[in-house]
Amino acid sequence: MENRLRVLRAERAWSQQDLAGRLEVSRQSVNAIETGKYDPSLPLAFRIAELFDLPIEEIFVSPSRRSSKAI
Amino acid sequence: MPRTIAWKRYNRRVICLSLAYCAFLLPAVYGFKHQLVPHSLAYLVAVLPALPIIGIFGAIGRYLVEEQDEYVRMLMVRQILWASGLTLSFATIWGFLNNFGLVGHADGYWLIALWFIGLGIGSLVNKLTLDDGGC
């Protein structure tokens, strides 16, 4: 799933390891989410949203909205 | 596989179970070879080396329950799917070949070895398809 995680992390000058530590997941998890190789569960997506103090939809791009925009 | 706390715990369990496997297998082989095992204990002595291997399956299940990192857990699930798919496919093919007299009989425990090889192949597939090269 497309997302703004890398941008949000960069804005705070956090490394992947920093973000992983804050989310209590592995750095590999952060990388997999950032690169769209892995879609986080809803609880993890909420943790990410709460960490950045943003609604989920401002971090993760809804696949259905993305496809409807493409049409 | 990232070294999470659950992973370290799993590794410790597997090491202990592997040592138990050796501790049961070597005396059993020696005992049966030299006919030292009384008939009344034969089944027990023969089954003992299988128990730590069953324990490793249990350790894998426990790891999946204890792993808090959902992405890392998914990596292990993918490995298990590869291992199971390969082993069952191989057993099916071998079974038919054996049935039509084209290959000989193979002992069932080789499937366990194949399953563990399948875990390794699953890990390789994970590396090739999902790994970030440590960056």
Side-chain angles (χ1 to χ4, degrees):
Chain A
M1 198 194 302
E2 213 174 282
N3 63 75
R4 296 179 52 230
L5 205 52
R6 191 184 294 270
V7 175
L8 293 169
R9 180 171 62 77
E11 282 172 1
R12 286 154 182 81
W14 291 347
S15 67
Q16 285 187 343
Q17 191 65 59
D18 293 333
L19 179 56
R22 286 175 161 85
L23 292 170
E24 295 180 338
V25 297
S26 61
R27 187 200 56 77
Q28 285 84 344
S29 301
V30 170
N31 184 75
I33 296 168
E34 277 188 3
T35 52
K37 288 177 181 169
Y38 176 71
D39 295 338
S41 67
L42 205 47
L44 179 54
F46 269 112
R47 282 216 315 269
I48 293 168
E50 284 159 12
L51 179 67
F52 289 108
D53 202 20
L54 288 169
I56 287 181
E57 58 270 29
E58 283 190 29
I59 301 174
F60 296 97
V61 180
S62 159
S64 53
R65 288 202 179 176
R66 193 171 169 266
S67 56
S68 63
K69 267 184 194 170
I71 295 165
Chain B
M1 191 76 79
R3 305 292 179 249
T4 59
I5 293 168
W7 177 256
K8 286 175 188 164
R9 224 179 279 155
Y10 161 75
N11 265 337
R12 268 201 303 274
R13 286 180 190 134
V14 168
I15 289 168
C16 292
L17 288 162
S18 302
L19 292 174
Y21 172 69
C22 292
F24 290 145
L25 181 67
L26 298 178
V29 170
Y30 184 85
F32 276 105
K33 194 176 176 186
H34 296 90
Q35 296 174 337
L36 298 171
V37 183
H39 186 69
S40 57
L41 292 176
Y43 282 93
L44 177 69
V45 175
V47 165
L48 274 178
L51 299 182
I53 293 177
I54 295 168
I56 291 177
F57 296 139
I60 292 171
R62 212 163 155 191
Y63 167 71
L64 289 177
V65 171
E66 290 178 354
E67 181 57 72
Q68 297 296 304
D69 190 317
E70 60 185 50
Y71 172 70
V72 178
R73 188 168 54 231
M74 182 211 64
L75 293 180
M76 179 57 109
V77 170
R78 279 168 56 110
Q79 280 182 251
I80 292 169
L81 287 173
W82 270 98
S84 303
L86 287 171
T87 305
L88 292 173
S89 302
F90 182 84
T92 305
I93 291 168
W94 192 275
F96 277 99
L97 290 172
N98 179 249
N99 216 22
F100 292 117
L102 297 170
V103 294
H105 172 76
D107 292 324
Y109 57 71
W110 285 110
L111 289 177
I112 314 301
L114 192 63
W115 193 82
F116 284 111
I117 292 169
L119 278 187
I121 292 171
S123 173
L124 189 67
V125 172
N126 280 345
K127 271 197 193 313
L128 292 173
T129 58
L130 296 173
D131 200 42
D132 58 3
C135 52

